[in-house]
Amino acid sequence: MATSTVADIVRLGPVIPVLAFDTPEQGEHVSRALHAGGVKVLEITLRTAAGLEAIERAAQIAPDIVVGVGTITKPEHCALAKKAGAKFGVSPGLTREIHQASLDAGLPLLPGVMTPTDIIVAMELGYEIVKFFPAVPAGGLNMLQAFHGPFPTLKFCPTGGITSESAINFLALPNVVCVGGSWLTPKAALAAQDWAEVTRLARAASELARPVR
């Protein structure tokens, strides 16, 4: 699927699931279940050893799936993820080294920010869309509303502590383009291999209303 920029990718759906898998096989099952529920964009994190192979498998599921790599904390993660088939990267924070590595790898990056200083650094490097992380512990809706004044053109993907109930409130903000969340893959459903439940949650997330921007 032709999605060359983060701006293209974040508009493919209101929710980007944040995923960590115990095994590549689990990752493939969950990715298929999410896609069946209409979720086209996945963030598969490098928090477990299964991450890279899960990305490789998920990227081959369907032509319209867009798989990203999450928890980029080292520059070398960018090239590894690109080789595995990732179409974009997500980091909890941002350094100039990670920024340069993403450019070198040809991996569009959604960098994490939490403070005004983080935001200014990201904007200096040319980012127009950033991840606000950890969203709820860092101030949630009130913080995003406060950011809109000094940074009126910047768009956010808040991630961290967002639930199926609160997601709609974040999506209603003028500076939010999508949200990230882990509620689409509850631990109980994964333990029971209840892929139908994952698909049900994915379908509900895909149908969340958001203003057209």
Side-chain angles (χ1 to χ4, degrees):
M1 187 172 185
T3 48
S4 58
T5 69
V6 167
D8 297 328
I9 292 164
V10 298
R11 288 175 172 82
L12 293 176
V15 180
I16 299 176
V18 180
L19 308 166
F21 297 126
D22 296 327
T23 65
E25 291 75 19
Q26 182 190 59
E28 184 173 351
H29 283 299
V30 171
S31 298
R32 288 186 183 279
L34 289 166
H35 184 263
V39 172
K40 304 296 177 64
V41 182
L42 313 179
E43 178 191 334
I44 298 177
T45 70
L46 298 180
R47 298 175 189 176
T48 68
L52 285 174
E53 189 175 341
I55 290 168
E56 191 171 351
R57 292 190 184 199
Q60 300 172 23
I61 286 173
D64 63 344
I65 199 166
V66 181
V67 181
V69 58
T71 322
I72 290 177
T73 57
K74 299 178 180 179
E76 55 265 32
H77 287 162
C78 296
L80 289 171
K82 180 74 172 182
K83 185 177 180 181
K87 294 290 194 299
F88 69 105
V90 185
S91 62
L94 180 64
T95 65
R96 292 181 184 274
E97 290 77 14
I98 289 175
H99 166 72
Q100 188 59 52
S102 72
L103 293 179
D104 292 344
L107 189 74
L109 184 66
L110 179 66
V113 302
M114 191 178 76
T115 69
T117 299
D118 294 341
I119 290 173
I120 291 169
V121 170
M123 292 178 72
E124 284 181 350
L125 292 173
Y127 292 97
E128 298 176 347
I129 303 173
V130 294
K131 168 183 173 177
F132 177 44
F133 178 82
V136 173
L141 295 167
N142 290 338
M143 187 67 85
L144 284 163
Q145 289 169 334
F147 283 155
H148 191 47
F151 310 111
T153 63
L154 194 65
K155 302 300 182 185
F156 293 88
C157 172
T159 304
I162 297 174
T163 66
S164 58
E165 293 77 24
S166 66
I168 194 69
N169 298 320
F170 282 91
L171 291 167
L173 296 177
N175 54 350
V176 169
V177 288
C178 65
V179 300
S182 57
W183 78 84
L184 281 70
T185 53
K187 290 181 180 179
L190 299 195
Q193 299 187 17
D194 187 353
W195 313 131
E197 173 65 4
V198 173
T199 295
R200 185 189 70 79
L201 292 169
R203 188 170 292 114
S206 299
E207 293 171 354
L208 283 172
R210 61 176 177 173
V212 177
R213 298 192 246 280

